[in-house]
Amino acid sequence: MNRARFLRILLCTGAVSLFLAPASVTAAGQASASKPWDEHVLTRDFEFSDLAKADKETIDELIAFGQRLFEGKFTRADGVGRPEATQAIVPTKRRRPVPQMFQRLPGLDANACASCHNEPVIGGAGSFTANVFVSEGFESADFDTTDPQFSNERGTNALQGAGLIELLAREMTADLRAQRAEAAAKARATGSEVSAALETKGVSFGTITVKPDGTIDVSQLEGIDYDLTLRPFGQKGVFASLRQFSVNALNHHHGIQAVERFGSQWTGSNDFDGDEHPDELSPGQVSAIVAWQATLPAPTRKTALPDVWAEAAAIGEATFTEIGCAACHKPALPLESLVFQDPNPFENAGTLRPSDVEAPIRIDLGTLEWVKTLPKDEEGRTLVPLFGDLKRHRIADAARETLGNELLGQRFVARDVFITAELWGIGSTAPYGHRGDITDLGDIIEAHGGEATDARKAYSALPDEDKENVIAFLRSLEIAE
């Protein structure tokens, strides 16, 4: 492996070829890394072009190093800090120098991913004390206040099963775009407007109308962006991939900048954040942290339950469906392919894309023992038991404001709209809600409004025993320790 981190990735933009600047481990860093007391986390690199044709042993090394990056506590020697840059998704300079490295509100607010993602295991959720503060997203004000005019407070989501979630989103995106293309072709051929209902894996995303000239009326779309890309990560459903999520989070929380977003290709500088550490995180290193997250085992169900709990959970699961909760929290979605490709084929500019590399990394999740235990449908597709639909919904209204009382939108998503939370693992991830400030499962159900009003009213009308059965069912969905 090339420990000097020299990485060249050909970026095809028309007839112009651009090269990402290399991320470098200094000689001092290499010397220190050989000592048992070394504090560095970024102690090695992977040549991306090698990973695309790597054998299983090398992919296993990549995943293992990704775990080190997730758990390791980044240091100044790794490039921690962003004195001249904000937390924004788009590289944005601060209006004034940062007074101190760690500020808790606009960040830095952690020096390890596992500082927040740690309950009940590394990669899991986080307690209320681990909440973060996020701005609108694209640009970021320099704020040092909890005033909701400047930021939204967010709890920590669990990452277990995230690789399967991303694969589902990719297949659903491809389905929806194919339906759009079919409608456009029909409109051109007939010379008439064509309306098409968009649905994939049993989830409806509304309707589009295509005119013969190719213009598309998207006013009847539901729960997805106009580009028909499912973005399953983040509580508002705004990140399409673990790679994008990781690049954003590493800058926001740790001040570690990925070359593919903050390097000279996009910013004209190899030290955009002004911390005197150029080219801090290479594409190969980002792929390591992505690979580890993508292979995290999916949540399961509690086993060896006492008879009284097992009976209550079975009744509660049936009641959960009967009262309408499963309309959004769908018990399972079918997955065609288990091959995880990095980078994501639907990635945005500013994050590594397939066109930026000769070939992507491919990890067959189907070889993992925990994936082999998942059920299959009659067509042989893997059933992913997420209890979700990867769709955004309005879940607050005037009668129930708790889940929509923010003042800032995020990535053009309305304040009262959130992606359906996957409930697998919910028995291990208290407290609840996007701020992690609701302590009881019954309370979070009662907080639902908007599109969830009918289901919430049905739950509210249940006898106490039936409500307890629903809670027994939800508490049986766990992240295994």
Side-chain angles (χ1 to χ4, degrees):
M1 289 296 162
N2 183 352
R3 298 178 65 85
R5 292 193 204 167
F6 285 103
L7 178 67
R8 297 196 307 176
I9 296 179
L10 187 61
L11 301 172
C12 298
T13 55
V16 182
S17 294
L18 301 175
F19 290 89
L20 293 180
S24 58
V25 177
T26 64
Q30 289 177 327
S32 176
S34 66
K35 298 175 182 177
W37 56 85
D38 175 50
E39 294 181 290
H40 286 73
V41 176
L42 297 173
T43 54
R44 66 173 299 182
D45 195 10
F46 292 84
E47 185 85 29
F48 193 97
S49 58
D50 292 339
L51 293 171
K53 50 183 180 291
D55 57 18
K56 183 180 183 301
E57 182 178 356
T58 302
I59 293 298
D60 287 345
E61 288 181 18
L62 182 76
I63 293 170
F65 188 62
Q67 181 173 358
R68 171 174 170 77
L69 295 185
F70 196 92
E71 296 179 349
K73 296 183 178 181
F74 294 108
T75 69
R76 288 179 63 91
D78 293 310
V80 158
R82 44 179 170 80
E84 296 179 10
T86 72
Q87 59 168 282
I89 292 171
V90 174
T92 309
K93 289 287 190 181
R94 290 184 180 274
R95 294 194 299 265
R96 54 187 178 276
V98 60
Q100 58 201 45
M101 185 183 298
F102 284 88
Q103 299 185 76
R104 189 67 179 88
L105 297 177
L108 310 179
D109 49 23
N111 67 339
C113 303
S115 296
C116 299
H117 294 277
N118 56 31
E119 295 184 357
V121 294
I122 301 300
S127 65
F128 183 75
T129 56
N131 280 7
V132 301
F133 297 85
V134 297
S135 65
E136 185 277 336
F138 286 112
E139 302 252 349
S140 179
D142 296 337
F143 60 90
D144 55 1
T145 173
T146 57
D147 189 326
Q149 295 182 76
F150 296 96
S151 67
N152 295 324
E153 189 173 354
R154 286 282 183 271
T156 304
N157 285 338
L159 296 168
Q160 273 68 27
L164 297 179
I165 294 293
E166 183 168 341
L167 288 180
L168 282 171
R170 295 181 190 187
E171 288 186 357
M172 295 168 78
T173 295
D175 285 349
L176 296 175
R177 291 186 175 189
Q179 293 166 26
R180 178 182 62 189
E182 182 180 355
K186 186 175 181 180
R188 284 195 302 271
T190 62
S192 303
E193 289 188 357
V194 173
S195 292
L198 301 182
E199 182 176 324
T200 173
K201 300 187 187 296
V203 182
S204 171
F205 290 90
T207 302
I208 58 171
T209 299
V210 186
K211 297 180 180 180
D213 64 359
T215 342
I216 302 177
D217 179 357
V218 294
S219 62
Q220 300 304 308
L221 269 181
E222 300 173 359
I224 191 172
D225 291 326
Y226 296 155
D227 65 355
L228 301 186
T229 300
L230 261 72
R231 296 180 164 86
F233 299 115
Q235 297 189 10
K236 304 286 279 188
V238 294
F239 304 126
S241 68
L242 286 169
R243 190 172 194 102
Q244 186 184 55
F245 165 77
S246 299
V247 168
N248 295 342
L250 286 160
N251 173 64
H252 179 162
H253 304 303
H254 315 312
I256 299 287
Q257 285 76 38
V259 170
E260 63 200 67
R261 173 77 55 79
F262 296 89
S264 57
Q265 176 199 355
W266 296 106
T267 67
S269 170
N270 64 2
D271 184 23
F272 180 78
D273 62 334
D275 64 358
E276 299 182 355
H277 285 271
D279 297 327
E280 294 171 7
L281 198 71
S282 77
Q285 290 168 325
V286 175
S287 289
I289 201 167
V290 167
W292 183 74
Q293 293 174 90
T295 53
L296 282 174
T300 59
R301 298 201 185 202
K302 290 182 183 293
T303 57
L305 289 173
D307 290 344
V308 64
W309 190 345
E311 182 180 353
I315 297 171
E317 184 168 4
T319 303
F320 181 86
T321 298
E322 290 168 5
I323 63 177
C325 298
C328 296
H329 296 285
K330 294 184 180 299
L333 295 180
L335 181 60
E336 301 276 356
S337 173
L338 290 166
V339 177
F340 186 92
Q341 175 181 304
D342 179 40
N344 184 311
F346 303 109
E347 197 54 85
N348 288 337
T351 308
L352 200 69
R353 294 170 292 181
S355 59
D356 298 334
V357 299
E358 292 182 5
I361 302 168
R362 295 167 62 86
I363 303 174
D364 186 357
L365 302 186
T367 63
L368 302 176
E369 291 303 316
W370 62 267
V371 175
K372 294 176 183 178
T373 67
L374 295 176
K376 305 278 188 178
D377 67 7
E378 63 278 2
E379 298 178 31
R381 298 176 297 182
T382 299
L383 292 175
V384 181
L386 72 169
F387 287 95
D389 61 3
L390 307 189
K391 179 181 176 180
R392 299 187 195 123
H393 298 271
R394 186 173 66 88
I395 59 169
D397 53 33
R400 287 289 191 279
E401 296 180 328
T402 302
L403 298 179
N405 60 357
E406 298 177 340
L407 298 182
L408 295 179
Q410 186 180 8
R411 298 287 299 275
F412 309 121
V413 181
R415 293 175 294 172
D416 55 1
V417 172
F418 288 82
I419 194 170
T420 301
E422 292 90 36
L423 297 185
W424 59 356
I426 193 171
S428 304
T429 57
Y432 311 106
H434 51 271
R435 289 182 301 277
D437 57 357
I438 297 177
T439 60
D440 302 273
L441 284 166
D443 288 346
I444 187 64
I445 296 172
E446 293 284 6
H448 283 60
E451 297 173 46
T453 296
D454 289 345
R456 185 257 302 163
K457 286 182 176 179
Y459 173 82
S460 300
L462 291 173
D464 288 346
E465 183 178 356
D466 287 341
K467 289 181 181 178
E468 287 193 18
N469 291 338
V470 172
I471 302 306
F473 157 61
L474 294 174
R475 289 279 289 116
S476 72
L477 305 177
E478 70 168 1
I479 295 173
E481 299 184 48

